[in-house]
DNA sequence: CAAGTCGTTGCAACCGGTTTCAGTAAAGAT
DNA sequence: ATCTTTACTGAAACCGGTTGCAACGACTTG
């Protein structure tokens, strides 16, 4: 099946040393005579040796893999983080193995169990909904970092963006442009990011002495479809509004479409702001003003951090910040 | 590190049998007395036994993992296939391990080497640019299926869509709607899909007795940016056209934006058709008429196929077909 | 010159399974 | 009653590494 049946033993014979010596050279964890070392290295090289991961894993207990739990492959923000993770691991000797939690707590626990069964050396959780208890328990068994949310008691060991100030900036931007009737389509109700974003929105309004109007607060679930529904219900109710701040870009797309269907122009009649800055957002019509999350960077940082952790070190992540990308979906309001 | 240090030996002691018997029960590959069997199973259950993958792999040579090489995590079409693959593997006992080829041949070979080093039992290649020679060589070493392109000599062992007829249908749709000056923005020049799509376009024109105008053929690279550039150069040249068929949806977004920037309306002035049907396309403005590729299904089918192959069977994939999704980016032309 | 060090290396046990081969007891055949 | 089967089970080798411990030669040291 595999061409590569050269083992450490073959090298040993070729170099006239014992298996142990070869192993020591290959992992350089003991002093070996430089000359011997060279001979072994050459032998290994010329034979094209590649260690058998099973044997190594069995003997050492380490697998050189880390499990990465994502929530839904194909979801823009999580995909960015995955890219970052891959990037962050290249050259470290560790390989990520990705599994998908499908946004479901039970599935998530399942896949983590599978990962543990596969003896991963570390765990990166991208988002997810596991309970604090399970999380804490997990961390005791295996080096873990969480990306995309902050967990109580894990200060510095979570990579996340400041959703509050991102949302605050976005809302303030709308206010600066003269908007006062600003609707919001929230994300999944118990989702941490969604909550923080709502708080940022609320604070920005408060700071501008604009009363928060409950009728302008709609619930959604991060999908384009939910943006459509939210806008339609807003329209149906006959509520007046000049801008809508969306839970993420997909919701913004939906909102945009729903408005157009009613003959309402964006941004001339209603302005829209999204959150995420997914790849398409620069190219839709009009290009979407949105809050950029540094997804790729977060992935990179997480990968680097877990490597530290697995090597017995510690890691301390800074809070990443989300930056408003001003494009063309927001217009100035002159008079009402 | 792990709570789970129960081994086959513990079960053996608990059930008063030998390791061998336990192994036989657990893999049921030999006749074991039903009573003994039951005892062992119960012991395993009550101890919460989970096999050590390293030991199993070392002894049996099988890892129960299959390597999946994608080209770029975050790319809509490939992501759909990944989702499908995950779906297709659930419940089979195999786990996919994803790596990213980054659209580069050398990287791709590298990651495949890594996968082989990790002793995957099978390989799924999503797209990719490896040479036919390398591919053939690979297939001799390990069960392999290729998704997203067809390889000479691998009939039935590749999962791919009929790009030709997808493109043909799209172009014909434009022709039916009265278009005769149909531009095309092609994908990466040597990319198989891009070539097939171009051929479909050309054939549809030919069948309608429309001469293919080389000035209406632009090159791109599947990115939105390339759509913008293509349309701009078309406009710059002052060439007249009423529709543009794009290599994929991202290109279509770019084209759409470039047109808008010049005050050209879609679809009133110029119609656009894309390819892929990525999630956003239903919600952009106007909702994009595009050719849907059944990415998820392809992934599922590929996963099921490789399982067959790994178990010593064979598999025979049908050609998937691409279906035109008529939405709102194409308008009828009445008079020129 | 004997004893003690140090640097370097080999032996062998071990990691936790799978698998071959031989052995035992019960059932069937002669 | 003896000889074959048949059904089932155990001992032990093996997979390919890692690692503790002993050993060995050369070099100091007393």
């Amino acid at each position: 099946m595999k061409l590569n049946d050269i083992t450490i033993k073959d090298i040993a014979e070729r170099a006239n040393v014992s298996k142990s010596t070869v192993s020591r050279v290959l992992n350089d964890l003991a002093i070996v005579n430089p000359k011997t070392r060279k001979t072994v290295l050459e032998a290994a090289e010329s034979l094209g040796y590649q260690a058998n991961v099973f044997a190594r894993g069995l003997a050492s207990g380490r697998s050189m893999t880390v499990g990465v739990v994502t929530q839904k492959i194909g979801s823009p923000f999580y995909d960015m983080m995955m890219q970052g993770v891959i990037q962050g691991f290249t050259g470290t000797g560790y390989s990520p193995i990705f599994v998908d939690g499908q946004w479901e707590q039970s599935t998530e626990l399942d896949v983590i169990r599978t990962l543990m069964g596969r003896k991963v050396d570390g765990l990166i959780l991208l988002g997810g909904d596991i309970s604090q208890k399970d999380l804490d328990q997990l961390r005791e068994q295996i080096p873990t970092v969480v990306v995309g949310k902050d967990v109580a008691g894990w200060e510095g060991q979570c990579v996340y963006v400041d959703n509050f100030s991102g949302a605050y900036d976005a809302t303030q931007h709308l206010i600066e442009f003269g908007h006062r009737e600003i609707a919001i389509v929230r994300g999944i109700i118990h989702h941490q990011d969604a909550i923080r974003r709502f708080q940022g929105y609320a604070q920005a309004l408060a700071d501008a002495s604009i009363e928060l109007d409950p009728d302008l607060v709609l619930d959604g679930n991060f999908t384009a479809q939910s943006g459509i529904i939210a806008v339609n219900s807003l329209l149906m109710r006959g509520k007046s509004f000049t801008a809508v701040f969306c839970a993420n870009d997909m919701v913004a797309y939906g909102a945009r479409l729903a408005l157009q269907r009613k003959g309402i122009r964006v941004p001339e009649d209603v302005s829209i702001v999204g959150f995420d800055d997914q790849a398409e957002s620069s190219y839709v019509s009009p290009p979407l003003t949105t809050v950029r999350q540094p997804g790729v960077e977060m992935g990179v940082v997480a990968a680097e951090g877990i490597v530290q952790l697995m090597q017995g070190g510690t890691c301390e992540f800074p809070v990443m910040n989300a930056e408003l990308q001003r494009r063309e979906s927001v217009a100035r309001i002159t008079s009402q």
Side-chain angles (χ1 to χ4, degrees), chain A:
Chain A
M1 155 180 163
K2 60 250 168 168
L3 305 177
N4 211 336
D5 7 24
I6 6 174
T7 75
I8 202 178
K9 196 174 149 203
D10 299 318
I11 300 182
E13 281 167 12
R14 171 91 144 217
N16 272 318
V17 293
S18 70
K19 281 178 18 173
S20 345
T21 302
V22 176
S23 173
R24 285 185 193 110
V25 170
L26 262 26
N27 302 295
D28 55 30
L29 32 69
I31 355 168
V32 176
N33 184 303
K35 212 167 60 196
T36 318
R37 184 185 164 74
K38 187 153 164 292
T39 320
V40 170
L41 250 22
E42 281 171 1
E45 175 70 24
S46 76
L47 290 171
Y49 171 76
Q50 199 170 22
N52 180 315
V53 284
F54 295 141
R56 196 203 285 283
L58 182 57
S60 73
R62 274 165 291 119
S63 69
M64 299 306 280
T65 57
V66 348
V68 182
V69 182
T70 180
Q71 291 312 315
K72 169 101 174 146
I73 289 184
S75 157
F77 181 54
Y78 290 96
D79 279 2
M80 287 198 280
M81 297 196 286
M82 286 175 65
Q83 284 177 60
V85 168
I86 290 180
Q87 206 173 305
F89 275 126
T90 52
T92 62
Y94 289 93
S95 301
I97 131 166
F98 295 99
V99 296
D100 201 301
Q102 317 269 15
W103 286 120
E104 264 179 54
Q105 205 177 116
S106 63
T107 312
E108 200 170 344
L109 288 172
D110 259 10
V111 295
I112 290 177
R113 230 185 310 279
T114 306
L115 287 173
M116 301 288 278
R118 294 214 176 270
K119 305 285 186 214
V120 294
D121 295 333
L123 218 46
I124 295 182
L125 306 179
L126 306 179
D129 260 338
I130 324 188
S131 71
Q132 170 96 32
K133 194 174 116 269
D134 289 334
L135 230 38
D136 287 333
Q137 194 179 325
L138 208 56
R139 186 167 57 158
E140 279 176 25
Q141 294 178 51
I142 184 174
T144 306
V145 328
V146 174
V147 189
K149 69 176 187 181
D150 55 323
V151 182
W154 291 45
E155 282 73 26
Q157 218 178 112
C158 304
V159 187
Y160 63 99
V161 301
D162 188 345
N163 280 284
F164 178 89
S165 71
Y168 185 95
D169 292 350
T171 310
Q172 196 180 42
H173 174 57
L174 289 169
I175 294 171
E176 269 175 22
F177 272 41
H179 295 272
R180 301 188 63 82
E181 295 168 333
I182 305 173
I184 181 172
V185 183
R186 296 196 285 192
I188 295 170
I189 201 78
H190 61 273
H191 197 292
Q192 195 186 70
D193 294 356
I195 295 168
R196 298 282 158 79
R197 289 176 201 172
F198 177 67
Q199 289 169 340
Y201 159 86
Q203 190 61 51
L205 291 184
D207 289 354
S209 308
I210 299 173
E211 198 164 346
L212 191 152
D213 180 348
D215 286 349
L216 290 178
V217 177
L218 288 301
D219 285 320
N221 61 359
F222 289 126
T223 64
Q225 204 45 245
S226 76
I228 293 181
I229 293 171
V231 163
N232 283 341
S233 83
L234 212 48
L235 257 21
M236 201 103 73
R237 285 192 241 158
K239 195 73 197 172
S240 142
F241 62 98
T242 65
V244 21
F245 172 41
C246 299
N248 70 4
D249 287 2
M250 283 304 284
V251 171
Y253 299 163
R256 158 83 191 65
L257 182 62
L259 289 169
Q260 178 197 300
R261 294 243 185 270
K262 305 291 183 185
I264 299 168
R265 293 166 306 166
V266 175
E268 294 82 352
D269 301 323
V270 168
S271 292
I272 290 187
V273 179
F275 209 110
D276 272 0
D277 193 21
Q278 66 181 79
E280 289 79 8
S281 293
S282 302
Y283 302 103
V284 295
S285 159
L288 187 67
T289 291
T290 186
V291 180
R292 175 172 187 278
Q293 297 206 69
V296 177
E297 278 169 71
M298 292 169 70
V300 172
V301 165
E304 291 170 351
I306 194 82
V307 170
Q308 293 283 330
L309 239 42
M310 291 185 302
Q311 291 173 349
T314 58
C315 66
E316 186 77 19
F317 299 116
V319 176
M320 319 289 281
N321 51 6
E323 200 175 333
L324 184 68
Q325 301 292 311
R326 301 178 183 213
R327 292 202 269 256
E328 302 166 33
S329 64
V330 173
R332 196 149 239 132
I333 278 206
T334 45
S335 69
Q336 184 90 349

